[in-house]
Amino acid sequence: MSLHDPVAVQEVAKRRAFRAPMPAAMESPATSSSLTRKAVDHIRDLIVRGELSPGSRVQEKQLCEMLGLSRTPLREALKVLATENLVELLPRRGARVTALDPRRLREQFAVIAMVEAEAARILCRSGTDEQIRNLRVIHDALKSAYVSHDPARYYLSNEQFHRAVVVQSGNQTLADIHAGLIVHLHRARHFALTMSEVNLEFAHDHDEIIEAIERRDTEVAGRRMTEHQAGVADHVLMSLGQTGKGARHED
């Protein structure tokens, strides 16, 4: 075969480009990482929405079948979720969804309140007019959901509103702390509030927060955000106590 022959050169290129199919049990590191991220996101969502209940054992076989994964990326995902305190790894016994701990939740609500209050103050001082207009759009969607008695849309808009306050402050450290904690509060609120009507007081809180930010009133914006989260914490923790959810373990 002559390498001056164009046909021969093409044949060599084809052979060099060929890659044997990779067995399912031999995922590349990049593929494995992608599968782990997929599993982390999916299992976290199941925990937050209560489909994996507090204190329940993680059924690895069922999750592997549901997600179409082998056990390796699933177990790596559980390690990630353990660092987020959403699951507890049990020596030689798999993993368990963490219980809802009222004391820990109270601490997390307090930190979230500090983060959101400071973000609101920063937004008052240095937020652009466009950022504040965007926040008003989210608030108006939230208010519309309240008026139309649509709790699912209300809670989604509520999450978007609080997250937008933090992200648009431009403080990445506050945003990172907020992202790491807010999933626990969403989880608790799912159990406490999904069957409850939207609290009128909380809806009015948002009115006062957005109006203070639009006036660029740092003192009122920060104070009302702190008071709002304290009220939400009281309501959620009282509801959890009444329902008795959160503390039981499956051994």
Side-chain angles (χ1 to χ4, degrees):
M1 177 185 69
S2 170
L3 294 181
H4 294 289
D5 181 349
V7 175
V9 170
Q10 289 175 4
E11 289 299 319
V12 170
K14 287 179 182 177
R15 287 197 295 272
R16 288 177 178 171
F18 175 76
R19 295 289 185 272
M22 190 163 45
M26 296 176 59
E27 297 109 340
S28 70
T31 302
S32 179
S33 175
S34 175
L35 292 173
T36 297
R37 286 196 299 272
K38 173 187 173 184
V40 168
D41 291 342
H42 196 104
I43 298 169
R44 184 193 293 118
D45 188 55
L46 292 175
I47 293 172
V48 169
R49 289 189 285 111
E51 293 187 31
L52 294 178
S53 59
S56 66
R57 294 289 292 275
V58 175
Q59 302 298 323
E60 293 187 9
K61 182 178 179 181
Q62 287 89 326
L63 282 175
C64 285
E65 292 173 355
M66 178 192 300
L67 301 176
L69 299 175
S70 67
R71 293 214 174 191
T72 298
L74 180 70
R75 287 175 176 171
E76 290 301 312
L78 293 175
K79 291 178 184 177
V80 174
L81 293 167
T83 68
E84 298 179 3
N85 197 39
L86 289 172
V87 302
E88 176 187 2
L89 301 179
L90 307 172
R92 296 178 297 281
R93 291 187 294 138
R96 177 170 58 204
V97 179
T98 55
L100 290 169
D101 180 347
R103 181 188 61 80
R104 185 75 178 269
L105 283 170
R106 176 72 71 180
E107 294 173 353
Q108 291 167 336
F109 267 113
V111 174
I112 284 286
M114 289 188 287
V115 167
E116 292 186 357
E118 179 58 18
R121 287 189 286 264
I122 293 172
L123 199 52
C124 288
R125 290 193 297 266
S126 56
T128 66
D129 291 342
E130 182 180 6
Q131 286 176 320
I132 295 175
R133 283 196 298 270
N134 290 340
L135 192 62
R136 164 60 75 172
V137 170
I138 298 172
H139 169 271
D140 288 348
L142 178 131
K143 191 167 186 176
S144 173
Y146 171 75
V147 171
S148 61
H149 304 287
D150 186 345
R153 188 160 61 94
Y154 177 89
Y155 287 122
L156 177 61
S157 297
N158 178 72
E159 291 167 9
Q160 292 172 338
F161 179 83
H162 286 273
R163 185 63 182 160
V165 170
V166 177
V167 170
Q168 294 194 64
S169 75
N171 187 310
Q172 190 59 50
T173 299
L174 291 180
D176 289 344
I177 294 170
H178 192 265
L181 289 176
I182 199 66
V183 65
H184 296 282
L185 307 191
H186 290 169
R187 179 185 176 209
R189 197 167 61 191
H190 170 86
F191 281 97
L193 303 179
T194 48
M195 299 306 294
S196 302
E197 292 185 3
V198 175
N199 189 296
L200 178 63
E201 180 183 351
F202 299 156
H204 286 168
D205 287 349
H206 290 109
D207 290 337
E208 295 184 9
I209 291 166
I210 186 62
E211 289 166 6
I213 291 173
E214 288 174 332
R215 295 194 308 270
R216 297 184 182 269
D217 188 332
T218 57
E219 193 277 329
V220 172
R223 174 168 51 81
R224 292 302 293 125
M225 186 69 86
T226 300
E227 292 169 349
H228 169 69
Q229 285 294 12
V232 173
D234 288 341
H235 192 66
V236 167
L237 292 169
M238 181 178 67
S239 298
L240 284 175
Q242 291 173 347
T243 59
K245 292 178 178 176
R248 293 187 295 274
H249 283 165
E250 290 180 6
D251 294 320

